[in-house]
C-alpha cells in the first residue's frame, strides 16, 4: 500500500489538468450542465467550462444505450407504483425523475467494478444487469435481496442510511490490497450526508487513496426534511475538499452531463487519482414511498417546476433533434420497456413460495440458544395452524 502523502498526489493530479490543487478539489463555479431542459445542447459559452472541468460528449452509441435504459427505468418505476396499489409489493421507493442519475452510475462502470446502491436505486441495479424481478424481490417482503451480489458486483440495496458507504470503502480497500484494478461507485442521497458513517467513509477513502466515487443524488429532501435544514454549505460537493478529495456538481436530470462527469471520475479513480465526490442535483417527482404524503411538506408548484426538467423527455428531444433517434428505434425501445414491465408484472402476480422458518437460517453461522428457541416456537405455531 502506498504511503505517498495525499497532498503530493493532489498536486500531481492538478498539474495534469494545468490548475492549482485548490481549483482541482473545489467544484467548478458553474454546475456542469450540457443540455437545456428543452433538450437543446448548450453552447460552450453557456456551459461555462473551466480548466480541468471540460466534458466532451459521449458517443452516439453510448447515448442511445443510456436512453434505452432510461426509458426502461421509467416504465419499471411506474409499473412498481401500480404493483404497490395492487398489493403485490409491500413498499416501493420510486425514483421517478431520478432515473438519469442511476443509469449513468451503472453505465460508467466496467466488468469487475462494484456498485453500492441505496433502496431507491433499483434502476441502477437493473442497468448493471440484474433482472427486474430479482431487483424487486426484497420489496415484496422476502428476507433476501433477490440476487447474488458477487455475480453482478452489486451490493444489496441498503435501507439504513450510509451503511453501504462503509462497505463500499471496504471493498475498494480490499481490491487495492490485492492489486485489482477495481473502481467502486457508492450511491447515497442528500440526507445521508448528515450521517456519521458518511464522514467515516469519505475520510477513510481519502486517507488510503481508494478508488471510490461517492455519488450523492441531491433530490432536495431527506424524506420530508428539506436540504436547507440539513446543511448550509455552498453545496454538498464542497464538503469533499475537507477530506482532501475533489468534488463536482452536475445537473442530475441531464443524462449527457452525468455520463461525462461520472465517466471522467471513474477514469481518474482507476488511474490512481484517489476518491472523488459527485453531487447530482435532481428531484424525486413522487412521494418518498407509497406510505408517504408528500403534499404535507412541498407544494404542487415546486413539483411542476421539476416535471418541466424531466430527464426522459429532455434526452428524447436531444436525440430526436440530433437525428440519432428515429421512429423505428423509438418504437423498439418502447416495446422493449413494455416487455420488461410485463415480465415483472407477471412475476409479481405469482405468489411467492416462502418458508417462514428460513428467517432463522442465516442470522448466525452457529445458531444461539435464543434463536433456536424462537425457531422452535414458530415451528410449533405453524404446525398447529396446519393441523
Amino acid at each position: 500500500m502506498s504511503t505517498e502523502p495525499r497532498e503530493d498526489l493532489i498536486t500531481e493530479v492538478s498539474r495534469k489538468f494545468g490548475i492549482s490543487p485548490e481549483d482541482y478539489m473545489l467544484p467548478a463555479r458553474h454546475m456542469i450542465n450540457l443540455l437545456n431542459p428543452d433538450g437543446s445542447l448548450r453552447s460552450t459559452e453557456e456551459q461555462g467550462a473551466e480548466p480541468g472541468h471540460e466534458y466532451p460528449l459521449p458517443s452516439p452509441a453510448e447515448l442511445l444505450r443510456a436512453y434505452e435504459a432510461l426509458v426502461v427505468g421509467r416504465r419499471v418505476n411506474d409499473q412498481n407504483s401500480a404493483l404497490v396499489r395492487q398489493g403485490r409489493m409491500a413498499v416501493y421507493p420510486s425514483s421517478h425523475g431520478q432515473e438519469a442519475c442511476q443509469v449513468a452510475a451503472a453505465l460508467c462502470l466496467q466488468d469487475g467494478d462494484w456498485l453500492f446502491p441505496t433502496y431507491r436505486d433499483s434502476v441502477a441495479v437493473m442497468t448493471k444487469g440484474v433482472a427486474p424481478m430479482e431487483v424487486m424481490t426484497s420489496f415484496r417482503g422476502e428476507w433476501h435481496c433477490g440476487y447474488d451480489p458477487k455475480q453482478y458486483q452489486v451490493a444489496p440495496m441498503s435501507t439504513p442510511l450510509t451503511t453501504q458507504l462503509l462497505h463500499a470503502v471496504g471493498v475498494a480497500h480490499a481490491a487495492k490490497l490485492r492489486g485489482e484494478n477495481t473502481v467502486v461507485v457508492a450511491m447515497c442521497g442528500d440526507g445521508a450526508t448528515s450521517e456519521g458513517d458518511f464522514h467515516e467513509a469519505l475520510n477513510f477513502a481519502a486517507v488510503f487513496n481508494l478508488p471510490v466515487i461517492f455519488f450523492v443524488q441531491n433530490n432536495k429532501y431527506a424524506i420530508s426534511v428539506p436540504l436547507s435544514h440539513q446543511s448550509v454549505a455552498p453545496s454538498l460537493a464542497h464538503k469533499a475538499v475537507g477530506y482532501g478529495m475533489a468534488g463536482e456538481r452536475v445537473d442530475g436530470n441531464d443524462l449527457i452531463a452525468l455520463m461525462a462527469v461520472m465517466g471522467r471520475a471513474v477514469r481518474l479513480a482507476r488511474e490512481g487519482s484517489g476518491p472523488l465526490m459527485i453531487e447530482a442535483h435532481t428531484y424525486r417527482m413522487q412521494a418518498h414511498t407509497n406510505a408517504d404524503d408528500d403534499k404535507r411538506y412541498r407544494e404542487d408548484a415546486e413539483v411542476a417546476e421539476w416535471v418541466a426538467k424531466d430527464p426522459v423527455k429532455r434526452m428524447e428531444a436531444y436525440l430526436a433533434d440530433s437525428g440519432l433517434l428515429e421512429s423505428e428505434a423509438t418504437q423498439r425501445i418502447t416495446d422493449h420497456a413494455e416487455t420488461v414491465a410485463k415480465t415483472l408484472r407477471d412475476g409479481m402476480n405469482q405468489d411467492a413460495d416462502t418458508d417462514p422458518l428460513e428467517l432463522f437460517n442465516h442470522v448466525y453461522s452457529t445458531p444461539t440458544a435464543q434463536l433456536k428457541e424462537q425457531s422452535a416456537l414458530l415451528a410449533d405455531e405453524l404446525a398447529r395452524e396446519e393441523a
Side-chain angles (χ1 to χ4, degrees):
M1 183 173 59
S2 173
T3 57
E4 181 183 18
R6 283 288 299 160
E7 58 268 22
D8 290 351
L9 177 64
I10 293 295
T11 300
E12 178 183 338
V13 176
S14 63
R15 188 181 300 116
K16 174 181 177 181
F17 291 107
I19 56 178
S20 69
E22 293 78 10
D23 287 338
Y24 167 71
M25 286 192 289
L26 286 173
R29 288 185 293 274
H30 303 283
M31 181 173 64
I32 306 302
N33 178 208
L34 303 181
L35 281 184
N36 291 308
D38 64 1
S40 60
L41 190 65
R42 292 166 63 89
S43 67
T44 303
E45 292 73 19
E46 289 175 320
Q47 292 174 20
E50 302 170 23
H53 300 273
E54 303 93 344
Y55 294 96
L57 296 180
S59 70
E62 291 173 322
L63 294 180
L64 285 171
R65 180 189 178 197
Y67 173 70
E68 182 166 355
L70 195 65
V71 172
V72 171
R74 172 61 57 85
R75 183 65 187 91
V76 168
N77 261 325
D78 294 345
Q79 179 61 75
N80 284 341
S81 296
L83 287 167
V84 168
R85 293 192 296 271
Q86 295 163 9
R88 285 297 176 179
M89 295 179 71
V91 66
Y92 183 67
S94 174
S95 59
H96 185 117
Q98 296 183 216
E99 295 96 342
C101 292
Q102 301 186 20
V103 168
L107 290 184
C108 73
L109 296 174
Q110 299 179 6
D111 292 341
D113 292 339
W114 273 84
L115 180 72
F116 279 77
T118 73
Y119 56 88
R120 199 179 301 281
D121 296 323
S122 54
V123 173
V125 179
M126 288 190 322
T127 306
K128 191 73 163 58
V130 184
M133 186 63 192
E134 295 181 0
V135 178
M136 308 308 162
T137 293
S138 60
F139 295 127
R140 70 189 303 185
E142 297 188 33
W143 62 267
H144 55 83
C145 76
Y147 54 89
D148 180 358
K150 290 184 178 180
Q151 178 184 352
Y152 299 101
Q153 287 85 48
V154 178
M157 290 182 286
S158 177
T159 298
L161 290 187
T162 68
T163 55
Q164 78 280 3
L165 301 189
L166 293 170
H167 302 158
V169 169
V171 166
H173 193 203
K176 182 175 181 179
L177 291 175
R178 290 195 293 258
E180 297 171 354
N181 192 24
T182 299
V183 172
V184 179
V185 168
M187 305 178 73
C188 68
D190 50 287
T193 66
S194 301
E195 297 287 323
D197 286 353
F198 177 84
H199 160 77
E200 294 170 6
L202 269 70
N203 194 58
F204 191 97
V207 169
F208 288 93
N209 188 34
L210 301 179
V212 184
I213 312 300
F214 296 98
F215 186 37
V216 182
Q217 297 176 80
N218 179 0
N219 65 16
K220 310 300 180 281
Y221 289 94
I223 306 182
S224 60
V225 180
L227 181 63
S228 60
H229 291 182
Q230 302 174 56
S231 174
V232 293
S235 76
L236 297 177
H238 276 81
K239 295 188 176 186
V241 68
Y243 298 98
M245 68 176 72
E248 192 72 286
R249 294 178 298 159
V250 60
D251 183 343
N253 286 18
D254 179 351
L255 182 56
I256 295 181
L258 284 162
M259 292 178 64
V261 171
M262 289 294 294
R264 190 191 79 156
V266 170
R267 184 177 70 255
L268 288 174
R270 201 181 306 280
E271 292 173 353
S273 298
L276 299 97
M277 178 179 168
I278 295 173
E279 176 190 5
H281 289 259
T282 185
Y283 197 79
R284 58 169 171 82
M285 298 183 193
Q286 298 177 348
H288 175 70
T289 68
N290 51 292
D292 172 43
D293 180 8
D294 61 320
K295 294 186 181 299
R296 298 179 61 184
Y297 55 85
R298 62 184 187 182
E299 301 293 333
D300 291 342
E302 177 182 306
V303 179
E305 177 185 346
W306 281 90
V307 169
K309 304 174 184 178
D310 190 309
V312 179
K313 294 180 179 178
R314 185 188 300 196
M315 192 64 183
E316 181 179 8
Y318 170 76
L319 292 174
D321 292 344
S322 302
L324 299 175
L325 186 66
E326 299 178 350
S327 58
E328 291 183 2
T330 300
Q331 190 61 53
R332 178 187 61 79
I333 291 172
T334 300
D335 291 344
H336 174 56
E338 288 299 327
T339 299
V340 172
K342 182 181 184 303
T343 302
L344 176 60
R345 183 169 62 246
D346 291 344
M348 283 292 178
N349 282 330
Q350 300 294 321
D351 291 332
D353 183 16
T354 59
D355 178 5
L357 291 175
E358 287 184 341
L359 286 169
F360 303 95
N361 290 349
H362 304 288
V363 180
Y364 295 102
S365 57
T366 302
T368 64
Q370 185 181 40
L371 203 64
K372 290 180 180 178
E373 180 182 357
Q374 293 173 348
S375 179
L377 286 172
L378 179 57
D380 182 61
E381 290 181 13
L382 294 172
R384 282 190 276 112
E385 287 181 1
E386 294 176 357

